[in-house]
Amino acid sequence: MRKLLAASLGILSAVGGFVDIGDLVAAGQAGARFGMAHTWVLLLGVVAICAYAEMAGRIAAVTGRAVFDLIRERLGARVALLNLIASYLVTVITLAAELGGVALALRLATGVPYLLWVPVAGLAVWLVLWRMRFQLMERVFGLAGLALVVFAVALWWLPTDWAALGRGVVLPTESGQGWGAYWFIAVALFASTVSPYEVFFFSSGGVEERWSPADLADARFSVLVGFPIGGFLALSLIATATVVLRPAGVTVSSLEQVAHPVVLAFGAAGLAVAALAFFAVTFGAALETGLSAAYAAAQYFGWQWGKRVSPREAARFHTVLLVSVLLGVLLLLTTIDPVTLTEYMLIISAVALPLTYLPILVVANDRTYLGDRVNGRALNLLGAVILLVILAASIAAVPLAIGTRMGE
């Protein structure tokens, strides 16, 4: 039981990182347009985030300091400032998209226009971040997001051709949609699984929970349980879209369409569970991104930070948190579509990925900080290969976005 509870931080990180508003639609689009052809991308993303989250968690447990704190010290103020600016902009845009996802989930449940829910979502996120204890927050919203398992159940309930699904995994093709669009979705899906805020949140959360070297086993358990669960849930979304939406020729552009396979399987009850799941994962991701924006700024400037610290003692940290939420709300009130916003955010995130993951690999090999707990050869090899993939995705993101008109 203790280990299961310890995994909740990893579950919140994974559900918020793998399955947010962008991933709900992107996974639906991938399945509806290309079937199971992007399964390998999702699996690669799971391996990548597990490897680097383990490094980030180990850094936090051994040093008692979060990743961004050490990035400035190890690489210098100028390089870290570039990292901070890029990470903060991407994270705030992501926060806006997640708040939009919360509003869209509430619209799905109530029928009330989503823009009316945007200020309510922003206020609710800020109140939870301000008042709810960190441990309770991660367990409530992380575990509530597991309601997405309804998509896996629906896949078993529906008349599914398992052999055809298997062939789609083993023999991926562009399915007449064009290789440009195929690779655009591949880059976006990969970027969504390794978003920078995930490792910032995970390592800072470890400091919040006062991890020490004695907690390394629990931290690894969090990574190896939580993130694969997020990957499994995302794969379920792709599979149900493959079974239901692809034969109908549906192009996914809304949460209603993403939820359609569950509604087809279970009717109104399925819609209710899907709406709850969408709310939980987008709200959890909004919490994660809001905290990550404030963590990065406070750690760079050396301010007192943390949810465990009162607003009076960490006024600047809580101010950045509030301002980030307000910026997210204001961005949505321009009436930009949250789904479109997130698709653009994923491309921007892909470009910024090397700025986050290269420093983590550097710090994880520095004996000044980690002593004999630095990376082993196998993990360094894996980390280097993943970093090359990240660099390739970063270089390809903008040309693919322009050349395919955002995957059209």
Side-chain angles (χ1 to χ4, degrees), residues 117-135:
W117 286 113
V118 168
V120 177
L123 178 62
V125 166
W126 178 70
L127 286 174
V128 169
L129 290 174
W130 185 38
R131 302 296 299 176
M132 186 176 287
R133 291 185 297 109
F134 188 91
Q135 194 174 65

Side-chain angles (χ1 to χ4, degrees), residues 214-291:
D215 298 305
L216 280 175
D218 286 345
R220 291 192 181 102
F221 186 79
S222 261
V223 168
L224 296 177
V225 172
F227 287 99
I229 286 176
F232 169 75
L233 296 176
L235 187 61
S236 298
L237 290 165
I238 293 175
T240 52
T242 299
V243 170
V244 175
L245 303 182
R246 190 183 183 200
V250 174
T251 300
V252 173
S253 59
S254 69
L255 289 187
E256 288 86 347
Q257 291 168 325
V258 176
H260 181 64
V262 172
V263 175
L264 185 64
F266 305 121
L271 179 61
V273 176
L276 171 63
F278 293 164
F279 174 82
V281 297
T282 52
F283 201 96
L287 297 174
E288 190 173 325
T289 50
L291 280 172

Side-chain angles (χ1 to χ4, degrees), residues 6-20 23 49-50 53 56 98 134 137-139 141-143 192-206 209 211 219 222-223 225-231 281 284-289 291-292 295:
S8 57
L9 177 59
I11 292 172
L12 179 56
S13 299
V15 172
F18 274 91
V19 193
D20 57 13
D23 294 289
I49 194 59
C50 282
E98 304 307 341
F134 188 91
M137 180 192 79
E138 71 188 32
R139 288 173 182 170
F141 293 100
L143 298 177
S192 72
T193 65
V194 293
S195 296
Y197 69 84
E198 293 180 61
V199 289
F200 292 153
F201 174 79
F202 190 68
S203 67
S204 299
E209 295 197 335
W211 284 351
S222 261
V223 168
V225 172
F227 287 99
I229 286 176
V281 297
L287 297 174
E288 190 173 325
T289 50
L291 280 172
S292 296
Y295 284 149

Side-chain angles (χ1 to χ4, degrees), residues 2-3 58 60-62 210-220 373:
R2 181 174 178 270
K3 287 186 176 294
R58 178 159 32 94
V62 174
R210 300 183 176 93
W211 284 351
S212 70
D215 298 305
L216 280 175
D218 286 345
R220 291 192 181 102
R373 296 185 185 273

Side-chain angles (χ1 to χ4, degrees), residues 28-395:
Q29 288 176 338
R33 296 180 63 181
F34 297 98
M36 302 299 294
H38 288 98
T39 300
W40 69 271
V41 178
L42 200 56
L43 295 177
L44 179 61
V46 171
V47 172
I49 194 59
C50 282
Y52 276 89
E54 191 280 331
M55 294 182 210
R58 178 159 32 94
I59 291 169
V62 174
T63 68
R65 298 166 65 183
V67 166
F68 212 100
D69 184 10
L70 295 179
I71 287 176
R72 170 170 177 157
E73 184 175 299
R74 180 64 176 78
L75 301 182
R78 291 184 179 180
V79 174
L81 181 60
L82 176 63
N83 192 314
L84 172 65
I85 292 171
S87 298
Y88 184 80
L89 289 176
V90 170
T91 302
V92 169
I93 293 171
T94 307
L95 173 59
E98 304 307 341
L99 291 172
V102 174
L104 289 176
L106 291 171
R107 184 195 69 181
L108 183 63
T110 65
V112 176
Y114 87 91
L115 276 175
L116 296 179
W117 286 113
V118 168
V120 177
L123 178 62
V125 166
W126 178 70
L127 286 174
V128 169
L129 290 174
W130 185 38
R131 302 296 299 176
M132 186 176 287
R133 291 185 297 109
F134 188 91
Q135 194 174 65
L136 179 62
M137 180 192 79
E138 71 188 32
R139 288 173 182 170
V140 167
F141 293 100
L143 298 177
L146 295 180
L148 273 177
V149 76
V150 69
F151 282 87
V153 177
L155 188 63
W156 284 95
W157 189 265
L158 293 166
T160 299
D161 186 341
W162 295 99
L165 282 182
R167 286 193 297 271
V169 172
V170 176
L171 302 171
T173 67
E174 50 85 21
S175 305
Q177 297 284 328
W179 284 108
Y182 175 88
W183 285 109
F184 172 83
I185 290 180
V187 168
L189 196 58
F190 180 73
S192 72
T193 65
V194 293
S195 296
Y197 69 84
E198 293 180 61
V199 289
F200 292 153
F201 174 79
F202 190 68
S203 67
S204 299
V207 176
E208 292 262 29
E209 295 197 335
R210 300 183 176 93
W211 284 351
S212 70
D215 298 305
L216 280 175
D218 286 345
R220 291 192 181 102
F221 186 79
S222 261
V223 168
L224 296 177
V225 172
F227 287 99
I229 286 176
F232 169 75
L233 296 176
L235 187 61
S236 298
L237 290 165
I238 293 175
T240 52
T242 299
V243 170
V244 175
L245 303 182
R246 190 183 183 200
V250 174
T251 300
V252 173
S253 59
S254 69
L255 289 187
E256 288 86 347
Q257 291 168 325
V258 176
H260 181 64
V262 172
V263 175
L264 185 64
F266 305 121
L271 179 61
V273 176
L276 171 63
F278 293 164
F279 174 82
V281 297
T282 52
F283 201 96
L287 297 174
E288 190 173 325
T289 50
L291 280 172
S292 296
Y295 284 149
Q299 289 163 16
Y300 175 84
F301 289 109
W303 300 336
Q304 178 71 274
W305 59 272
K307 266 186 61 60
R308 294 180 182 274
V309 184
S310 70
R312 180 176 298 178
E313 296 175 341
R316 287 174 290 191
F317 168 79
H318 285 278
T319 298
V320 173
L321 189 58
L322 176 58
V323 169
S324 300
V325 173
L326 288 175
L327 288 174
V329 170
L330 290 175
L331 184 56
L332 284 172
L333 291 180
T334 65
T335 71
I336 187 171
D337 179 61
V339 175
T340 302
L341 175 65
T342 305
E343 290 172 346
Y344 280 102
M345 175 276 299
L346 290 174
I347 298 304
I348 298 170
S349 178
V351 173
L353 285 176
L355 291 173
T356 298
Y357 287 92
L358 175 59
I360 292 174
L361 188 60
V362 170
V363 173
N365 280 283
D366 194 327
R367 292 186 180 275
T368 303
Y369 298 112
L370 297 183
D372 61 355
R373 296 185 185 273
V374 293
N375 287 355
R377 290 183 180 179
L379 185 55
N380 270 334
L381 177 60
L382 178 61
V385 171
I386 291 169
L387 194 61
L388 289 175
V389 174
I390 287 172
L391 185 60
S394 175
I395 294 171

